[in-house]
Amino acid sequence: MAQVLEFKLPDLGEGLTEAEIVRWLVEVGDVVAIDQPVVEVETAKAMVEVPCPYGGVVTARFGDEGTELPVGAPLLTVAVGEPADGGEPEGSGNVLVGYGTAAPPARRRRVRQAPAARPTAHQPAPAGPVNGSSGSSHAGADRAAATGHAERAAGRGRRAGGPAGPAPAAERPVDGPVPVISPLVRRLARENGLDLRRLSGSGPDGLILRADVEDALRTGATAVPGPSHAGDPHAPVRATAAQVPAGQTPGAQTPAARTSASPASGSRVPLKGVRGAVADKLSRSRREIPDATCWVDADATELMRARAAMNAAGGPKISLLALLARICTAALARYPELNSTVDTEAREIVRLDAVHLGFAAQTERGLVVPVVRDAHARDAESLTAEFARLTEAARTGALTPGELTGGTFTLNNYGVFGVDGSTPIINHPEAAMLGVGRIVPKPWVHDGELAVRQVVQLSLTFDHRVCDGGTAGGFLRYVADCVEQPAVLLRTV
């Protein structure tokens, strides 16, 4: 007899909590083999084809293309045949970006609970803890099962065409676990004083998604005051039924209040995907890293001539970015303090042996930072080839999470945007970033005479915890010397 197994969105690694369905690779009724890719999803770091650990017939898909699902939400169900030995079916055991396809969890037995008296309008509902430990374990299990059943029923009703938004008060569970997986959803509700137990999710089995919380906030869902606001002069003040003027419902605003409180007209763009990941990482860098920036102008005329001579000699063309990367690795060998990271828990500076060089690349999906592994062991030709490969993969969205993580130092060539200087934000948890502006003809004193030279501005943003200004200045000065006199590099060849 066939058995229907549920395949959930796996943990894709690197701390990712959600992914967006880009393209389904199978239809309901298709026969799939073990480890066959069934859906293409986009995370904050890359697009990934997700293989299914079961072989059989696809009986259902959850989510349309463009839908954002949290890790652990159902993706599809597959009808598989009964194992020959009568045992449980096993996963393939293969690994995709940090997860293994294991056997499905054991079926849980639902415990039905007799209908309890619901709170009336004059009787407040008991505000039990979401994850409380009071009461007997059997009573807690019964409440959890009954609550989950009610929430799944509400979710199915809404998917069948019912209205979206918060469920009627008589149908909202007020105790037991809340069907929320994403910590971002919990934080959004907590910061806005929204009780998640009063919402019904639109996700699979009543799962509460970020869109549900945002819809509830827009429609003025009931917010519950936190228990720690007593005596806090900065705590938000919420009107109660006794404070609402006659004829006005609690939570409603007068036309004048709505006019003054509503933001200016415009559009809202969800901060998710690559844009959301960049925002989170840069915000963390600003919070944790005490950075400083120094800069210098350099005459790049000789470097440009050296590159022209290399390319005129035949063979693969050498890119300017590869020469700058070669200069970076030589400078890091002299100043290893800048190729490090800070272990805040251990209060230690970790100096790294290998240089995994990240470089900023602007794509249609946003800013990404591919990483060239072992850049210190590569020559200019190898660096040129690897930069070209990773840049093309970034443009097509084919970079893997492994190619976007693990950098130890970043090279940012913002000169391609036609600007001279910048104070870049360090790519956390690295300790420094070298910025390179555009190379343009400028008046320059050369050999005691005024001449037109190819000038570039270099900037170094560094973590002041790993070194002082002398080290940072020495690194930047060495880079500038190599740009002005490429023969300096011959000492380290």
Side-chain angles (χ1 to χ4, degrees):
M1 180 177 179
Q3 182 179 4
V4 177
L5 300 179
E6 185 178 72
F7 176 44
K8 299 181 179 181
L9 178 64
D11 179 3
L12 299 176
E14 304 298 335
L16 301 174
T17 60
E18 54 196 7
E20 180 179 332
I21 297 176
V22 176
R23 181 167 58 100
W24 282 105
L25 305 179
V26 295
E27 301 287 343
V28 174
D30 287 355
V31 178
V32 296
I34 292 178
D35 291 334
Q36 175 181 334
V38 294
V39 64
E40 187 178 62
V41 300
E42 181 179 20
T43 69
K45 295 183 179 295
M47 282 196 290
V48 181
E49 289 187 351
V50 181
C52 179
Y54 312 122
V57 179
V58 177
T59 58
R61 301 187 317 191
F62 300 98
D64 298 325
E65 294 180 357
T67 302
E68 189 175 84
L69 297 179
V71 170
L75 271 177
L76 50 77
T77 54
V78 180
V80 300
E82 188 75 18
D85 58 359
E88 292 290 331
E90 297 182 354
S92 64
N94 291 345
V95 175
L96 170 69
V97 197
Y99 83 94
T101 54
R107 294 181 178 272
R108 293 178 292 182
R109 177 171 168 263
R110 288 200 183 100
V111 181
R112 296 186 178 274
Q113 180 181 359
R118 302 187 184 276
T120 65
H122 303 287
Q123 179 182 359
V130 174
N131 294 315
S133 58
S134 61
S136 68
S137 60
H138 295 291
D142 290 347
R143 283 197 305 272
T147 301
H149 182 73
E151 288 170 348
R152 284 190 292 274
R156 286 193 295 270
R158 186 165 47 260
R159 286 194 299 273
E171 298 180 2
R172 294 171 187 155
V174 295
D175 197 3
V178 181
V180 177
I181 293 178
S182 172
L184 298 178
V185 174
R186 292 185 181 274
R187 185 177 66 184
L188 180 62
R190 183 173 61 252
E191 290 176 350
N192 289 276
L194 187 65
D195 187 358
L196 289 171
R197 290 171 294 177
R198 299 181 181 272
L199 298 183
S200 294
S202 61
D205 291 332
L207 189 69
I208 297 177
L209 306 178
R210 184 190 304 175
D212 300 322
V213 176
E214 293 173 345
D215 289 343
L217 294 176
R218 280 195 296 268
T219 57
T222 303
V224 295
S228 60
H229 290 326
D232 185 0
H234 301 289
V237 179
R238 297 182 178 88
T240 62
Q243 297 170 324
V244 177
Q248 182 178 341
T249 58
Q253 291 180 319
T254 63
R258 282 196 299 269
T259 302
S260 60
S262 61
S265 60
S267 61
R268 288 176 174 264
V269 179
L271 198 59
K272 63 180 184 179
V274 174
R275 187 72 264 156
V278 170
D280 292 341
K281 195 159 191 175
L282 296 184
S283 298
R284 183 178 182 184
S285 179
R286 275 290 189 231
R287 286 194 307 268
E288 296 185 9
I289 299 178
D291 59 341
T293 302
C294 53
W295 57 88
V296 66
D297 289 340
D299 180 3
T301 305
E302 296 303 322
L303 180 66
M304 301 300 289
R305 289 176 178 171
R307 175 174 175 257
M310 293 178 189
N311 292 337
K317 300 294 184 182
I318 304 299
S319 69
L320 179 62
L321 189 62
L323 295 179
L324 294 171
R326 185 66 187 87
I327 292 173
C328 273
T329 58
L332 289 172
R334 284 175 167 255
Y335 300 93
E337 298 93 333
L338 295 171
N339 192 54
S340 61
T341 186
V342 176
D343 187 339
T344 54
E345 292 185 1
R347 294 186 62 82
E348 294 177 341
I349 298 173
V350 183
R351 293 184 180 174
L352 306 170
D353 297 328
V355 178
H356 301 315
L357 188 67
F359 66 99
Q362 192 70 36
T363 69
E364 293 182 357
R365 298 175 61 238
L367 177 68
V368 294
V369 184
V371 177
V372 177
R373 303 287 171 182
D374 298 317
H376 62 289
R378 296 175 180 266
D379 58 18
E381 286 189 5
S382 175
L383 288 169
T384 297
E386 188 66 359
F387 281 133
R389 184 187 72 82
L390 292 173
T391 299
E392 181 60 26
R395 288 173 180 165
T396 59
L399 287 171
T400 66
E403 293 170 330
L404 289 165
T405 55
T408 63
F409 186 93
T410 296
L411 175 60
N412 188 358
N413 181 21
Y414 45 75
V416 296
F417 302 118
V419 297
D420 295 324
S422 173
T423 56
I425 300 176
I426 296 174
N427 189 20
H428 184 278
E430 299 171 10
M433 176 186 293
L434 178 69
V436 182
R438 61 175 180 166
I439 301 176
V440 293
K442 287 185 179 180
W444 190 268
V445 177
H446 177 68
D447 291 338
E449 296 182 356
L450 188 62
V452 176
R453 307 284 288 182
Q454 301 291 321
V455 179
V456 61
Q457 185 179 99
L458 307 171
S459 66
L460 177 71
T461 299
F462 64 99
D463 186 341
H464 227 312
R465 296 174 296 179
V466 304
C467 69
D468 295 324
T471 300
F475 174 93
L476 189 58
R477 186 64 258 171
Y478 178 80
V479 171
D481 289 344
C482 290
V483 168
E484 294 184 340
Q485 302 177 38
V488 172
L489 277 177
L490 295 176
R491 298 176 62 91
T492 60
V493 172

